[in-house]
């Protein structure tokens, strides 16, 4: 799915912060400005099962859509939404989604996670209002999605580890699965 033929030096790792994804990539995409380096491909992401994507930790530009059903399952919002700030101003939002195999409301949760980054409504409307009049496409509907498979072992060092805060947020919908360390 993703184009891996980028001219990047050996050892290059793309590991942007939330702020960098929104400010330096998503804002530019929504405003139809070029991004250098152009390392995030466009993909109508939602029809694909996560294991059909190349790699195990990918970023994609996609269009926001209500339909999140794939051939094998569906993406379900986890109810976690975090604001993203730059210089004290809210510039975007990050939502977490988990992939479930099976039919909606009957599926089995997998380890696949999608973080969906979108522009704040005030930012996206001011950036693209002049473009909307001259184009049939509403560029404020772009999102950046990070798709990855959550690792079961904590010694995984391939960049897919979650921060402690991410682990807490992701576990909020599974309170019965939280295990605290035993310090006795």
């Amino acid at each position: 799915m993703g184009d891996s033929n980028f001219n990047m030096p050996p050892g290059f790792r793309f590991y942007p912060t939330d702020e960098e994804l929104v400010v330096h990539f998503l804002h530019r995409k929504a405003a139809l400005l070029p991004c250098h380096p152009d390392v995030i491909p466009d993909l109508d992401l939602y029809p694909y099962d996560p294991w059909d994507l190349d790699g195990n930790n990918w970023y994609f530009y996609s269009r926001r859509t209500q339909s999140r059903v794939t051939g094998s399952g569906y993406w379900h919002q986890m109810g976690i939404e975090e604001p993203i700030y730059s210089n004290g101003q809210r510039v975007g939002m990050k939502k977490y989604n988990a992939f479930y195999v099976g039919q909606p409301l009957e599926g089995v949760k997998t380890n696949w996670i999608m973080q969906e980054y979108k522009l704040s409504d005030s930012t996206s409307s001011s950036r693209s209002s002049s473009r909307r009049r001259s184009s049939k496409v509403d560029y404020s509907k772009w999102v950046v999605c990070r798709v990855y498979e959550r690792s079961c072992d904590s010694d995984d060092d391939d960049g897919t580890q979650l921060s402690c805060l991410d682990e807490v947020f992701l576990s909020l919908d599974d309170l019965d699965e939280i295990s605290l360390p035993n310090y006795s």
Side-chain angles (χ1 to χ4, degrees):
M1 299 299 130
D3 182 8
S4 59
N5 296 325
F6 297 115
N7 256 343
M8 297 296 154
F12 173 81
R13 292 193 201 295
F14 185 67
Y15 198 71
T17 65
D18 294 347
E19 178 185 0
E20 290 167 340
L21 277 173
V22 172
V23 173
H24 298 289
F25 291 93
L26 189 53
H27 276 158
R28 296 188 67 78
K29 179 71 169 179
L32 300 176
L33 297 171
C35 292
H36 299 292
D38 188 13
V39 294
I40 302 176
D42 290 358
L43 179 67
D44 184 13
L45 178 66
Y46 301 106
Y48 293 100
D49 292 323
W51 48 84
D52 290 338
L53 302 171
D54 294 337
N56 62 355
N57 186 9
W58 281 99
Y59 294 87
F60 300 98
Y61 288 118
S62 193
R63 306 280 294 163
R64 271 197 286 173
T65 180
Q66 297 293 46
S67 175
R68 294 166 183 251
V69 177
T70 71
S72 299
Y74 59 98
W75 290 102
H76 180 71
Q77 287 188 6
M78 299 172 69
I80 302 166
E81 204 169 316
E82 296 176 14
I84 299 169
Y85 293 94
S86 179
N87 297 324
Q89 181 180 0
R90 191 174 87 176
V91 293
M93 295 297 291
K94 176 169 72 170
K95 291 182 180 182
Y96 288 84
N97 300 274
F99 189 76
Y100 287 74
V101 174
Q103 297 297 315
L105 304 176
E106 299 174 5
V108 176
K109 188 176 180 181
T110 68
N111 287 337
W112 287 96
I113 304 295
M114 176 182 11
Q115 294 171 342
E116 184 181 83
Y117 298 84
K118 70 175 188 169
L119 296 171
S120 291
D121 292 334
S122 61
T123 307
S124 62
S125 61
S126 66
R127 292 259 182 178
S128 61
S129 59
S130 62
R131 296 204 190 323
R132 273 192 219 143
R133 286 184 227 123
S134 64
S135 174
K136 295 179 183 177
V137 179
D138 184 1
Y139 288 97
S140 68
K141 300 296 184 193
W142 284 105
V143 293
V144 170
C145 296
R146 175 183 176 226
V147 178
Y148 59 95
E149 187 173 17
R150 231 171 90 176
S151 176
C152 295
D153 60 321
S154 60
D155 295 325
D156 188 14
D157 197 28
D158 65 354
T160 60
Q161 284 184 320
L162 301 175
S163 70
C164 293
L165 186 58
D166 284 343
E167 288 287 349
V168 169
F169 282 133
L170 291 173
S171 66
L172 287 177
D173 69 335
D174 294 328
L175 291 176
D176 56 333
E177 295 179 15
I178 295 177
S179 60
L180 299 174
N182 186 2
Y183 293 111
S184 51

